[in-house]
Amino acid sequence: MTDEPIVIVGAGTAGVTAATTLRSSGFDGPITLIGEEAEHPYRRTALTKDLLAADLSLERITLQKPAVWPERGIDLVRGVAVTAIDTARRVVVCDDGRQIGYRALVLATGADSARPDWLAGDVRSVRTLSDALAVRRAVDESGRLAVVGGGLIGLELAASAATHGASVDVVEAADRLLGRVAPAVVSDWFLRLHESHGVSVRLGARVRAASARAIRLDEGSEIEGPVVAAVGMTPNVTLAQAAGLETVGEGIIVDRCFATATPNVFAAGDAAALPDALTGRPSLGGHWFGATDHGRAVAVSVLAHLDGGRPDGFVDVPRAWTVQYGINVQMVGWPSVDGTVHVDGSLDDADASIRVSVDGRLVGAVTVGRAAAARELRSEIAVGLSEIAVGLSM
């Protein structure tokens, strides 16, 4: 099998980073990177950070210049879907009829936007370039935007639209914004921030039905569209499940070296369920930083595996970032856990560090207007996790 390529399925951030890291780490064998979209791989973060003002031309948002792939000897296959994996023969089957053998396989299949039953098929989520361009046209034409979901992506879309003069509504089922990723004091600040820019935020609002034209709430009122949905992600695990790989919570189960229980098969990025550094349980990621970290780490693991070794396991201290109304916000670790919250600085002045500790140990933090501080806080969290990491070896 030494003449077969390392095959990477998925040309998003995790897949592209894995491919380029393999090459920059000295691997000189064949590499095949397969992506479903016809475009060259691009940065999805560019689609939501400032949707109405961002330059979304492919020349600006591609992850690598097109010339990089032939220069580095990476076979980039675009506009092709992998439909099956034969793990016994170590072959992937593509929808264009070709079958590609692999020496090692990395599944970086990513995630799709969640589609609850009450969400009509014509409601856009911003996941692809075509989605982003369609939403931008709709906002430009109507001067309005109604967002279902008060998480990071939903709030980025709201901030972009409001900054450029649109009338914006945000509908969130929970009793606060960013409830899954931030402490209440940060949620309250985000609410004040958006309302100060004219955004109407409805918390605890249950959606009965949503179409591209309007959102109908359980209590009977309607909110005019155009409507965009930002209600979470669903990992793409259908291919893995059909191949017999173990999944949990809709993620592909991997160990701390990104290896599945199936020989020579690895997974990384949004679809990979890596042991959580706090609990040890399989946990999904879902942020750009994580996909980049995963891509680098899975490449190291694959190379070690091919050499008959095993690297130190990857211990992830999650990190995410957003820019809204020109304010940089960074989140590291697990700031939404139930712990002691300490605010240093002033949130209302957009200059603060929020520390979340459990039993005196820092487990999560949010910085507002202090990007450099976020790096230091993440390092502090990582040091405290060293003892936990030893117990997570699999």
Side-chain angles (χ1 to χ4, degrees):
M1 302 293 293
T2 56
D3 292 334
E4 301 290 356
I6 296 174
V7 173
I8 303 168
V9 180
T13 298
V16 165
T17 304
T20 55
T21 302
L22 285 168
R23 195 60 88 213
S24 64
S25 298
F27 179 72
D28 60 3
I31 301 171
T32 299
L33 176 63
I34 306 172
E36 290 192 19
E37 292 186 61
E39 296 87 1
H40 277 84
Y42 58 86
R43 293 181 291 111
R44 295 188 191 278
T45 54
L47 306 183
T48 61
K49 295 302 180 188
D50 193 358
L51 175 64
L52 270 69
D55 181 351
L56 297 182
S57 62
L58 285 172
E59 292 78 10
R60 293 301 300 267
I61 68 172
T62 49
L63 286 165
Q64 298 286 343
K65 294 182 179 179
V68 163
W69 309 110
E71 287 173 356
R72 297 189 183 181
I74 297 171
D75 181 18
L76 173 61
V77 181
R78 294 181 288 141
V80 172
V82 173
T83 57
I85 304 168
D86 186 333
T87 58
R89 294 193 300 131
R90 295 189 191 175
V91 168
V92 298
V93 180
C94 301
D95 63 358
D96 64 355
R98 79 180 83 180
Q99 298 189 14
I100 304 172
Y102 63 84
R103 187 179 179 188
L105 175 65
V106 177
L107 297 177
T109 47
D112 284 329
S113 301
R115 306 292 300 184
D117 291 341
W118 45 261
L119 196 63
D122 61 354
V123 177
R124 291 274 186 176
S125 295
V126 180
R127 188 61 178 167
T128 67
L129 179 58
S130 62
D131 291 333
L133 294 174
V135 171
R136 184 154 72 180
R137 285 193 300 270
V139 176
D140 283 341
E141 292 170 359
S142 67
R144 285 194 46 79
L145 182 65
V147 182
V148 184
L152 282 175
I153 291 177
L155 294 183
E156 286 175 353
L157 294 170
S160 180
T163 298
H164 292 86
S167 174
V168 182
D169 290 272
V170 173
V171 174
E172 169 57 47
D175 60 1
R176 62 186 177 94
L177 300 173
L178 298 169
R180 289 179 292 181
V181 298
V185 65
V186 174
S187 297
D188 293 342
W189 173 74
F190 267 103
L191 177 62
R192 295 195 303 273
L193 178 67
H194 278 269
E195 289 182 336
S196 72
H197 285 83
V199 176
S200 173
V201 180
R202 303 197 192 193
L203 299 174
R206 300 288 178 176
V207 178
R208 179 180 301 175
S211 69
R213 296 184 300 275
I215 302 168
R216 185 187 311 163
L217 301 179
D218 270 356
E219 39 84 358
S221 65
E222 281 197 354
I223 299 172
E224 182 183 351
V227 177
V228 64
V231 291
M233 311 303 291
T234 301
N236 290 325
V237 297
T238 302
L239 184 65
Q241 289 175 333
L245 274 62
E246 188 177 3
T247 61
V248 65
E250 299 183 329
I252 304 168
I253 295 179
V254 296
D255 63 16
R256 289 180 53 235
C257 295
F258 297 91
T260 71
T262 301
N264 300 88
V265 180
F266 300 77
D270 291 350
L274 191 74
D276 184 88
L278 281 183
T279 67
R281 295 190 295 269
S283 176
L284 295 170
H287 296 296
W288 178 84
F289 276 135
T292 304
D293 293 341
H294 281 203
R296 294 187 184 122
V298 74
V300 172
S301 293
V302 169
L303 292 178
H305 168 74
L306 295 179
D307 287 339
R310 180 179 174 86
D312 294 333
F314 177 78
V315 178
D316 186 24
V317 177
R319 50 182 176 154
W321 67 284
T322 184
V323 176
Q324 297 178 30
Y325 307 107
I327 302 170
N328 184 293
V329 180
Q330 307 261 342
M331 301 179 181
V332 295
W334 297 264
S336 63
V337 302
D338 186 13
T340 301
V341 179
H342 174 74
V343 179
D344 173 64
S346 170
L347 276 165
D348 287 334
D349 291 335
D351 179 23
S353 298
I354 300 89
R355 299 168 61 96
V356 181
S357 302
V358 175
D359 297 330
R361 180 164 57 88
L362 183 68
V363 295
V366 179
T367 64
V368 178
R370 296 181 177 182
R375 292 190 289 271
E376 297 171 0
L377 290 164
R378 187 171 186 249
S379 297
E380 182 179 342
I381 295 169
V383 170
L385 290 174
S386 58
E387 292 184 3
I388 295 176
V390 173
L392 294 182
S393 298
M394 294 179 64

